[in-house]
Amino acid sequence: MNRGLRFCSTARCVPERIVTNDEMSRIVETSDEWIRSRTGIGQRHFSRGETAVDLCVGAGRLALERAGAAPDEVAVCVVATCTPDYASPSDACLVQAALGLPEDTPSFDVSAGCTGFLYGLETVRGLLALAEGKKKYALLIGCDQLSRILDMTDRSTCVLFGDGAGAAVVCLEDRLWHAALGSRGTAAPLWLNGPGPETTYIHMDGPAVYRFAVEALPSCVQDLLAKSGLTLDDIDWIVPHQANRRIIETAAKRLHAPLDKFYQNMVRYGNTSAASVPIALDEMAEQGLLARGQKIVTVAFGAGLTWGGALFEW
Ligand SMILES: CC(C)(COP(=O)(O)OP(=O)(O)OC[C@H]1O[C@@H](n2cnc3c(N)ncnc32)[C@H](O)[C@@H]1OP(=O)(O)O)[C@@H](O)C(=O)NCCC(=O)NCCS
């Protein structure tokens, strides 16, 4: 048995404004049919006035309340993001202040693109071990506000992404936990320029990212199964990064896994980058799909090219 993380609570916060595929088709030459059939996305939330920190605070506050975690019981506050409000200070520092976390709470951002939440889980697992139980909880938030950096003249990227934040309060226990993290160490084929004088935009070679994703997702799942000695039959849910339905369908085929083991909600949010896995977990908890003792695999991939996964009991 490892020192693993237990999810004490989850929460999410998305901007109120919903942008449908039909609305996107008034901005670029596209259609609801094209977007749905190529990606599984039906709508996304775009911020109108909310900052990234506002979304983080909304999700973080609710997660702390649901866990019954007092501010002085939080050992570390981490935000996984590639679209922070400022290059510096981190979103996490501003979240720390807004949530009244005391000054001895280390607070910082983790940048690993859409894999950020998975990198964040391993980061807080290590820091909770160093805290030696003096403070019980870690607050981990995945948040991205990609609407700010979308090139609204590029139909091959602007229809894919949405804004949101998902949060989890976790604590360390002796329990099942296996993680796998990696990176190919390359900016191509997915990068955001800036900060600096240039306007920040997301740049992506979609087919190249697709090829990477359909390889990285199944191989990460297989790595976690090998580490744990479990088989796919032992796993109740696979919670993948919500980039594209076709990526998940191809990964399921390659793993010989039934598609209904994979939770999918990109139809409602699009790709929310680092927020996608915690938003999915929160929806699943809300719908009563998660029960204590169930075995979960969560897996993500993104800019870097990074990938990451965790296998654990809910
Ligand atoms: C982006 C993606 C959906 C494109 O699907 P695809 O089937 O590979 O499409 P292609 O890029 O080959 O483009 C096919 C055609 O559709 C067009 N097209 C692209 N976006 C379009 C849109 N929103 N609406 C209509 N047509 C579009 C292209 O211009 C191209 O037209 P052409 O053949 O006349 O040049 C797909 O590559 C993908 O999902 N990649 C992964 C992206 C991703 O998830 N990134 C985030 C990872 S964290």
Side-chain angles (χ1 to χ4, degrees):
M1 200 61 76
N2 290 329
R3 293 294 276 166
L5 293 176
R6 180 165 71 85
F7 282 77
C8 308
S9 69
T10 57
R12 66 184 186 276
C13 180
V14 293
E16 269 177 41
R17 183 175 165 223
I18 291 174
V19 179
T20 63
N21 289 344
D22 284 337
E23 279 177 81
M24 293 306 294
S25 74
R26 292 196 281 276
I27 300 170
V28 286
E29 200 182 323
T30 188
S31 64
D32 180 55
E33 196 281 321
W34 193 96
I35 301 171
R36 274 181 203 269
S37 62
R38 299 296 177 110
T39 71
I41 295 166
Q43 61 176 41
R44 72 284 296 138
H45 294 251
F46 279 173
S47 303
R48 189 165 45 189
E50 304 96 336
T51 65
V53 169
D54 291 337
L55 299 177
C56 289
V57 168
R61 178 170 285 129
L62 193 55
L64 289 176
E65 269 170 36
R66 286 177 175 170
D72 63 0
E73 292 178 300
V74 177
V76 57
C77 169
V78 172
V79 175
T81 184
C82 59
T83 51
D85 283 343
Y86 299 96
S88 186
S90 64
D91 277 358
C93 284
L94 304 178
V95 171
Q96 175 198 5
L99 296 180
L101 305 180
E103 286 187 8
D104 66 349
T105 318
S107 301
F108 59 94
D109 291 356
V110 165
S111 171
C114 300
T115 317
F117 190 79
L118 277 301
Y119 272 61
L121 284 174
E122 281 302 89
T123 304
V124 301
R125 190 163 76 100
L127 287 169
L128 280 173
L130 291 173
E132 293 173 330
K134 289 188 197 90
K135 292 188 178 194
K136 187 174 171 190
Y137 300 108
L139 174 62
L140 174 61
I141 302 168
C143 176
D144 271 306
Q145 206 177 35
L146 288 152
S147 67
R148 250 180 25 222
I149 56 155
L150 290 176
D151 177 351
M152 286 297 184
T153 65
D154 176 8
R155 66 180 180 173
S156 68
T157 56
C158 72
V159 301
L160 302 177
F161 298 96
D163 301 345
V169 171
V170 292
C171 64
L172 202 59
E173 288 179 356
D174 287 331
R175 62 195 346 263
L176 179 71
W177 185 271
H178 294 278
L181 299 177
S183 165
R184 286 192 183 166
T186 176
L190 175 55
W191 77 99
L192 320 181
N193 59 318
E198 283 179 80
T199 307
T200 301
Y201 280 133
I202 190 162
H203 301 271
M204 186 176 69
D205 174 348
V209 174
Y210 187 94
R211 286 193 296 277
F212 163 68
V214 296
E215 195 184 308
L217 199 166
S219 81
C220 188
V221 173
Q222 271 158 347
D223 187 10
L224 291 166
L225 291 173
K227 282 177 171 161
S228 64
L230 297 171
T231 69
L232 265 177
D233 287 341
D234 300 314
I235 304 301
D236 295 284
W237 282 108
I238 298 177
V239 186
H241 171 45
Q242 304 289 316
N244 181 315
R245 191 187 59 220
R246 287 192 304 157
I247 290 173
I248 294 172
E249 286 169 355
T250 305
K253 267 195 205 122
R254 290 190 175 179
L255 287 164
H256 305 291
L259 193 56
D260 59 11
K261 234 184 234 274
F262 291 74
Y263 185 74
Q264 296 191 57
N265 68 0
M266 77 286 286
V267 69
R268 288 185 285 286
Y269 302 100
N271 178 348
T272 57
S273 186
S276 106
V277 164
I279 287 177
L281 288 172
D282 185 54
E283 275 201 337
M284 294 173 78
E286 189 175 80
Q287 292 167 25
L289 297 176
L290 298 173
R292 290 290 168 206
Q294 278 182 340
K295 291 186 178 61
I296 312 287
V297 167
T298 180
V299 56
F301 48 86
L305 290 167
T306 54
W307 69 89
L311 186 159
F312 56 95
E313 263 180 14
W314 187 249

